[in-house]
């Protein structure tokens, strides 16, 4: 099956630093990747949709300058949390959809737990 | 607007008991897809099922079964003879007509006690 690798799985950083999270599709080309945020004991909230070679589409209320998304190739999308603050601490999950397949069929990474001190 | 409601926040059952997780959805689309995902403590989401709105047949896969009732906008998930490995958070989800976005419910945490 399609495998999505997300790295790192956990990161702890100081307030004010930037953190980059990578999402890779290992055995398929992902035309679209999605970034979700999950607060403790809550649901997944879609942050943005990323298409290869174009700008990401952000959901309402998500700061695009805060959460930079780059989808430079068909197998890699990155999320950079810029100048992270404690309120950015959360679980971030990426997913990818296959070319030619409905975008709601998504393969998820294992998530990245971000803790900002 | 789409909405998925999982009214049960946490459920505890003793191993080998059957358990049903409820899911109620709202959508204005006539074409949509419903999903169930499992999120074990490790965090990754595991896909369980995708069902389109035109297929109301119940589905069984091993100990898992799903009951889709359009009349009540429900897509319930039953685990038969539960096992400790079933302990996880289960999310019901709904995708829109253009299949561009998936809306997740708030999840039901299932604890299976040995």
């Amino acid at each position: 099956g399609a495998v999505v690798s997300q790295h790192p799985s956990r990161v702890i950083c100081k307030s004010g630093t930037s953190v980059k999270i990578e999402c890779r599709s290992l055995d398929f080309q992902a035309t679209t990747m999605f970034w979700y945020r999950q607060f403790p004991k809550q649901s997944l909230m879609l942050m943005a949709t990323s298409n290869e070679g174009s700008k990401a589409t952000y959901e309402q209320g998500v700061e695009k300058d805060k959460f930079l998304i780059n989808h430079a190739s068909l197998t890699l999308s990155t999320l950079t949390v810029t100048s992270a603050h404690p309120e950015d601490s959360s679980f971030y999950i990426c997913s990818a959809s296959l070319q030619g397949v409905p975008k709601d069929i998504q393969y998820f990474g294992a998530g990245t737990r971000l803790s900002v001190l | 607007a789409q909405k998925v409601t999982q009214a049960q926040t946490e459920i505890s059952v003793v191993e080998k008991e059957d358990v049903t997780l409820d899911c109620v959805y709202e959508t204005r689309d006539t074409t949509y897809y419903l999903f169930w995902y499992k999120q074990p403590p490790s965090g990754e989401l595991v896909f369980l099922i995708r069902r389109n709105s035109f297929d109301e047949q119940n589905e069984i896969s091993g100990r898992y079964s799903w009951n889709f009732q359009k009349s009540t906008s429900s897509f319930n998930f039953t685990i038969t003879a539960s096992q400790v490995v079933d302990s996880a958070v289960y999310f019901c989800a709904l995708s829109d007509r253009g299949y561009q976005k998936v809306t997740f419910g708030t999840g039901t945490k299932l604890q299976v006690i040995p």
Side-chain angles (χ1 to χ4, degrees):
Chain A
V3 177
V4 173
S5 172
Q6 192 171 337
H7 179 80
S9 58
R10 186 180 183 98
V11 58
I12 302 172
C13 69
K14 291 183 179 179
S15 186
T17 60
S18 293
V19 175
K20 180 185 282 189
I21 302 170
E22 292 187 349
C23 181
R24 293 181 186 272
S25 55
L26 296 186
D27 51 359
F28 65 99
Q29 292 188 327
T31 48
T32 304
M33 288 187 171
F34 304 84
W35 287 96
Y36 295 85
R37 181 173 181 176
Q38 185 181 25
F39 290 101
K41 297 185 179 181
Q42 293 190 28
S43 188
L44 283 75
M45 301 300 296
L46 180 65
M47 298 174 66
T49 302
S50 161
N51 290 298
E52 185 265 337
S54 62
K55 289 184 179 179
T57 302
Y58 289 81
E59 294 300 299
Q60 194 172 12
V62 178
E63 299 174 60
K64 59 180 69 174
D65 294 330
K66 174 75 170 176
F67 299 100
L68 299 178
I69 292 172
N70 183 280
H71 193 162
S73 77
L74 284 172
T75 59
L76 174 64
S77 176
T78 61
L79 167 67
T80 301
V81 183
T82 61
S83 187
H85 288 93
E87 58 266 28
D88 299 323
S89 298
S90 191
F91 191 61
Y92 294 87
I93 306 177
C94 72
S95 69
S97 61
L98 278 72
Q99 199 167 20
V101 175
K103 288 185 174 61
D104 61 345
I105 299 177
Q106 298 175 20
Y107 298 90
F108 286 82
T112 297
R113 190 164 302 283
L114 171 63
S115 300
V116 185
L117 305 177
Chain B
Q2 297 184 114
K3 186 178 179 182
V4 177
T5 301
Q6 294 180 256
Q8 304 151 309
T9 52
E10 291 193 40
I11 301 176
S12 288
V13 297
V14 176
E15 201 171 19
K16 297 184 183 176
E17 286 185 350
D18 298 347
V19 58
T20 296
L21 309 182
D22 297 333
C23 174
V24 175
Y25 63 92
E26 294 176 31
T27 180
R28 292 180 181 176
D29 293 332
T30 54
T31 303
Y32 52 89
Y33 283 79
L34 294 161
F35 302 78
W36 276 95
Y37 286 91
K38 175 182 180 180
Q39 186 179 40
S42 51
E44 79 279 12
L45 264 74
V46 177
F47 168 82
L48 296 177
I49 190 171
R50 178 179 185 253
R51 170 55 56 85
N52 80 54
S53 54
F54 295 108
D55 182 2
E56 289 193 66
Q57 279 193 337
N58 291 334
E59 182 158 340
I60 299 174
S61 177
R63 295 185 297 108
Y64 295 168
S65 62
W66 290 270
N67 183 284
F68 176 28
Q69 297 211 351
K70 225 169 173 178
S71 59
T72 55
S73 298
S74 65
F75 187 45
N76 296 337
F77 172 35
T78 298
I79 302 175
T80 303
S82 60
Q83 300 175 2
V84 174
V85 293
D86 296 327
S87 297
V89 179
Y90 291 86
F91 289 98
C92 180
L94 167 71
S95 72
D96 67 2
R97 188 178 202 172
Y99 317 126
Q100 298 294 323
K101 293 182 185 179
V102 180
T103 300
F104 287 84
T106 49
T108 297
K109 183 177 181 180
L110 173 65
Q111 185 176 13
V112 181
I113 304 165

